[in-house]
Amino acid sequence: MKKIILSLVTVLLIATSVFADEIKFTASAPNVVELGEQFRLTYSVNSKGKNIQVPELDGFRVLMGPSTSSSMSTQIINGKVTSSSAYSYTYVLLAEKEGKFDIKPASISVDGETKISNSLTIEVVEVNKTQQSSESEQSQNSASTDKITENNLFVKVHLDRSSVYMGEHIVATIKVYTRLSIAGFGDSKFPSFDGFLSQEVPTPGQISLERENINGTIYNTGIIRKLILFPQHTGEITIDPFELEVIIRQRKANKRNGFFDEFFDNYQDIRVPRKSKPIRIRVKDFPSNKPASFDGAVGNFELITTIDKDSVKANDAVTMRVKVAGNGNLKLIKPLEFNFPADFEVYDPKTSQNLNSTEAGMSGSTTFEYLIIPRHGGEYEIPSVNFSFFDPKAKIFRTRSTEKFTIKVAKGEGDNSGTIISSFSKEKVKFLGKDIRFIKTNDFTPQLKGEVFFGTTNFYLAYIVPFFLFILAFVFNRKRIKENADTAKLKNKRANRVAMKRLKAASASLKAQQKDRFYDEILKAIWGYTSDKLNLPLANLNKENISEILLSKGVELELKDEFLSILDTCEFARYSPSAGSSEMDELYQKSMNTITKLEKNIK
């Protein structure tokens, strides 16, 4: 009986669930097709509709359609019922004319309301006769590795522009182009992007292939990685080639060509290495009329300055925030320098960033938070300062100014300004700040008891021993100050300790199965250790000069190769399908052992 009641309740919940999802009506089709090729034009809607109206399809012949299909799913999670449905209308078209054709939106009636789909643009290209004949030969003969050429499989690093100003963003897209069947990817080597600050643009973890017309030939293309690059110096910068091992699936050569071969998987996977061409970028310097307040900001920004209060007591904290928002190299913007009153105690600003990297560049905001503590009463003014940036589109410098603030400070408990000391006597002090009180003294006559201490050995030792201890402490302190002043030596000394702390953070990410964070911590540990140990800024580090420096420091060739392999593994693993925990644990142990060996080998 209980099962029947539960079933009835479930059916009732499903029947009474409210479909709150917005009705969506979309059209989809290939971006590029060949002349004479058949393809599908599909209209999808997430609710049942009727009276679909398709526009005129100029340049195409309708061979079949519409064929309809539908699907529906229901989920009950923690008592919450969610349902979804999908209806599709598919037309099979034949491309009859060459050129680009715009397909206008279609319409459909859903619950008495008319919904309009998106429009499409389809490019029809003429088939390359040479390529068509070679493809027909491949279909008649068994495939072999000789038929895999640079024309039907290659990789490329595409830049959205080849000439920019210093600090202006460039979108770099690493893509694979193929007319063959790809089964997967093997080893890869990404460019180091020396001379650039790079920022990853989020892309789907699974690489999906889309059709693209390249000089009249249709390729299936997939995005491997997409980045935003900010050049850090002027002149010509070269981006190194991208290397990728592509796994191609081909039918095995079979001389018998038996009847039953078609019913079995008679394929083989071939590993094909591919390498892109190096790319050169010209980075221009800024115009000569730089404002004095310009500090390298490039883009288009707005400046917002706020203060949490303008009336406080002495020794109370005031927070001032400066927010730089817009699109550009927000990650490189430095805190503004204000001319605060001398009676203000100001701490180093705290920086927080809310950034979003897309193909349009880096957008969002960088906020600087200044903590200010007035120490004395009075009325003070924080003057306005200028913030200048270069607008690469208009090719001019623009200046924004912060607001001017006036702060009224009342005397607080810790403010001693204007204090008058009166009625001063040995018996009492009426007022002398908070930390000074009168010390009462009485007549005191010491009385000797037992053995006289004055003039004994212990008496003199009581003076000599502290004196020598003071000398030792002074020498040790001077040595410590001298060592701390030598920043390079201090970093070198602490390099191994800092690297091990970062590896502990990587171990925590490994236990939590946080793949991206794990590989980031491994890279930080490796690069940070190298920077500190070799006394090189992170911006000047790359695989080539590290290789040379390690060899010059007496590091064995095998250990150097092991170090570089860790960098390659981390770089590729961040953008490849998820690795297992065993591979991540092996990489962690390998990183610890490599850093330990380097600590012993570097001279």
Side-chain angles (χ1 to χ4, degrees):
M1 186 66 181
K2 290 183 178 180
K3 292 183 177 179
I4 296 174
I5 294 174
L6 182 61
S7 300
L8 290 173
V9 171
T10 303
V11 172
L12 182 62
L13 287 172
I14 296 173
T16 57
S17 62
V18 179
F19 296 89
D21 293 340
E22 181 184 355
I23 297 176
K24 297 180 180 178
F25 183 40
T26 57
S28 60
N31 296 328
V32 184
V33 296
E34 294 179 350
L35 185 63
E37 180 184 357
Q38 297 180 17
F39 65 96
R40 295 185 180 187
L41 170 63
T42 303
Y43 293 94
S44 303
V45 62
N46 59 348
S47 184
K48 189 173 183 180
K50 58 182 180 179
N51 298 331
I52 184 171
Q53 300 293 327
V54 179
E56 292 290 334
L57 302 173
D58 295 334
F60 305 99
R61 185 198 307 171
V62 179
L63 300 180
M64 186 183 71
S67 60
T68 60
S69 63
S70 63
S71 63
M72 186 172 182
S73 64
T74 303
Q75 290 182 333
I76 303 177
I77 302 175
N78 297 329
K80 184 179 179 181
V81 181
T82 58
S83 301
S84 62
S85 58
Y87 299 84
S88 63
Y89 304 84
T90 303
Y91 296 83
V92 177
L93 306 182
L94 176 69
E96 293 185 317
K97 296 180 181 179
E98 184 182 358
K100 283 190 177 182
F101 300 92
D102 294 327
I103 298 180
K104 296 181 180 179
S107 64
I108 193 172
S109 178
V110 180
D111 296 333
E113 185 179 354
T114 301
K115 294 294 180 180
I116 306 298
S117 73
N118 56 296
S119 60
L120 295 172
T121 299
I122 301 177
E123 183 181 5
V124 180
V125 298
E126 186 176 0
V127 182
N128 189 316
K129 294 182 179 180
T130 303
Q131 185 173 357
Q132 188 179 31
S133 62
S134 64
E135 288 179 355
S136 62
E137 291 175 3
Q138 289 184 24
S139 63
Q140 294 173 6
N141 303 321
S142 297
S144 66
T145 56
D146 294 336
K147 294 189 176 73
I148 301 176
T149 65
E150 290 288 346
N151 292 328
N152 55 25
L153 177 66
F154 61 92
V155 292
K156 182 179 180 182
V157 179
H158 173 74
L159 304 179
D160 64 339
R161 64 193 87 180
S162 59
S163 178
V164 293
Y165 286 96
M166 187 172 68
E168 184 181 3
H169 83 273
I170 306 166
V171 178
T173 306
I174 303 176
K175 301 177 70 174
V176 57
Y177 296 79
T178 180
R179 292 180 61 84
L180 306 172
S181 177
I182 294 180
F185 300 101
D187 296 335
S188 67
K189 181 181 178 182
F190 290 94
S192 59
F193 297 109
D194 292 336
F196 296 94
L197 171 70
S198 61
Q199 183 69 32
E200 193 80 20
V201 176
T203 54
Q206 189 71 25
I207 299 174
S208 59
L209 300 179
E210 296 183 355
R211 306 184 89 185
E212 188 174 334
N213 176 21
I214 307 296
N215 298 326
T217 303
I218 298 178
Y219 288 88
N220 289 319
T221 66
I223 297 176
I224 304 295
R225 190 178 176 189
K226 186 173 289 188
L227 306 99
I228 300 177
L229 306 178
F230 296 93
Q232 298 301 290
H233 63 81
T234 58
E236 190 177 80
I237 305 179
T238 301
I239 295 180
D240 298 332
F242 164 65
E243 299 178 21
L244 178 66
E245 187 180 57
V246 185
I247 303 174
I248 299 299
R249 180 157 295 172
Q250 287 190 335
R251 187 181 297 275
K252 291 182 180 179
N254 193 336
K255 296 181 180 179
R256 294 178 301 169
N257 197 19
F259 171 77
F260 293 100
D261 291 343
E262 298 295 332
F263 296 94
F264 299 95
D265 291 336
N266 196 22
Y267 293 92
Q268 63 180 347
D269 289 342
I270 304 171
R271 294 180 175 269
V272 182
R274 284 293 181 261
K275 185 176 182 179
S276 68
K277 297 179 180 179
I279 305 176
R280 292 179 175 82
I281 301 172
R282 188 169 68 92
V283 183
K284 300 176 288 187
D285 199 359
F286 302 112
S288 58
N289 57 336
K290 298 179 186 177
S293 56
F294 177 70
D295 199 16
V298 178
N300 194 1
F301 307 106
E302 293 296 330
L303 193 63
I304 304 172
T305 315
T306 59
I307 198 167
D308 63 344
K309 46 196 157 186
D310 57 6
S311 180
V312 295
K313 290 184 178 181
N315 300 314
D316 286 349
V318 178
T319 301
M320 185 178 72
R321 293 180 177 86
V322 179
K323 181 178 180 181
V324 182
N327 185 292
N329 58 349
L330 286 161
K331 210 167 188 178
L332 302 176
I333 293 178
K334 301 176 183 177
L336 277 65
E337 295 184 2
F338 288 85
N339 185 20
F340 291 103
D343 290 332
F344 282 13
E345 183 175 350
V346 183
Y347 293 88
D348 292 336
K350 175 185 175 183
T351 304
S352 59
Q353 295 179 327
N354 181 18
L355 305 177
N356 183 29
S357 299
T358 65
E359 294 184 10
M362 183 180 292
S363 60
S365 63
T366 297
T367 303
F368 306 106
E369 187 175 295
Y370 300 80
L371 182 63
I372 307 165
I373 301 179
R375 291 305 186 188
H376 303 287
E379 185 171 304
Y380 302 93
E381 182 180 277
I382 300 177
S384 172
V385 299
N386 292 332
F387 168 73
S388 298
F389 59 90
F390 181 71
D391 186 345
K393 292 183 178 179
K395 300 181 181 179
I396 59 173
F397 290 97
R398 301 184 188 276
T399 300
R400 305 282 187 263
S401 299
T402 63
E403 294 186 33
K404 181 175 66 175
F405 296 105
T406 300
I407 301 178
K408 295 180 180 179
V409 183
K411 294 181 180 179
E413 294 183 359
D415 185 10
N416 297 335
S417 56
T419 300
I420 299 176
I421 303 176
S422 59
S423 304
F424 183 85
S425 66
K426 291 183 180 181
E427 288 75 17
K428 63 179 181 177
V429 174
K430 185 173 182 180
F431 182 76
L432 189 62
K434 277 191 170 182
D435 56 343
I436 300 177
R437 290 292 184 269
F438 178 73
I439 300 175
K440 185 177 181 181
T441 59
N442 293 324
D443 294 335
F444 175 73
T445 303
Q447 296 180 354
L448 298 177
K449 184 178 180 180
E451 185 179 350
V452 178
F453 179 70
F454 179 79
T456 63
T457 303
N458 290 336
F459 173 80
Y460 292 109
L461 287 175
Y463 284 94
I464 296 172
V465 171
F467 175 75
F468 278 106
L469 291 176
F470 172 77
I471 295 297
L472 289 174
F474 178 78
V475 172
F476 175 77
N477 190 52
R478 287 294 296 270
K479 182 180 178 182
R480 183 179 61 84
I481 293 173
K482 187 176 180 180
E483 289 179 351
N484 291 341
D486 189 349
T487 307
K489 185 177 180 180
L490 186 64
K491 284 185 176 181
N492 183 291
K493 187 177 180 180
R494 297 179 179 176
N496 186 58
R497 191 193 318 165
V498 174
M500 289 303 170
K501 285 184 179 179
R502 288 172 174 162
L503 285 177
K504 286 184 179 179
S507 176
S509 302
L510 173 62
K511 294 178 182 178
Q513 290 297 312
Q514 296 174 341
K515 174 197 166 190
D516 292 340
R517 187 171 179 181
F518 169 78
Y519 287 112
D520 283 339
E521 293 295 343
I522 292 290
L523 281 175
K524 287 180 182 178
I526 295 295
W527 284 116
Y529 173 81
T530 310
S531 175
D532 294 341
K533 197 69 180 175
L534 303 180
N535 191 26
L536 286 175
L538 284 173
N540 294 341
L541 287 179
N542 57 65
K543 295 175 185 176
E544 287 72 15
N545 60 20
I546 284 181
S547 178
E548 295 177 1
I549 294 174
L550 289 178
L551 292 177
S552 67
K553 293 288 185 180
V555 176
E556 297 177 358
L557 181 61
E558 182 180 353
L559 181 57
K560 185 265 295 183
D561 293 338
E562 185 176 346
F563 175 82
L564 295 179
S565 71
I566 294 175
L567 295 178
D568 291 336
T569 302
C570 290
E571 285 289 345
F572 179 66
R574 294 170 66 193
Y575 313 106
S576 63
S578 298
S581 58
S582 60
E583 290 84 352
M584 294 166 66
D585 185 65
E586 181 181 351
L587 179 63
Y588 172 76
Q589 294 297 333
K590 184 178 181 182
S591 301
M592 286 194 67
N593 295 336
T594 301
I595 290 178
T596 303
K597 292 177 182 177
L598 284 174
E599 186 70 17
K600 296 178 180 179
N601 277 261
I602 293 179
K603 299 178 180 179

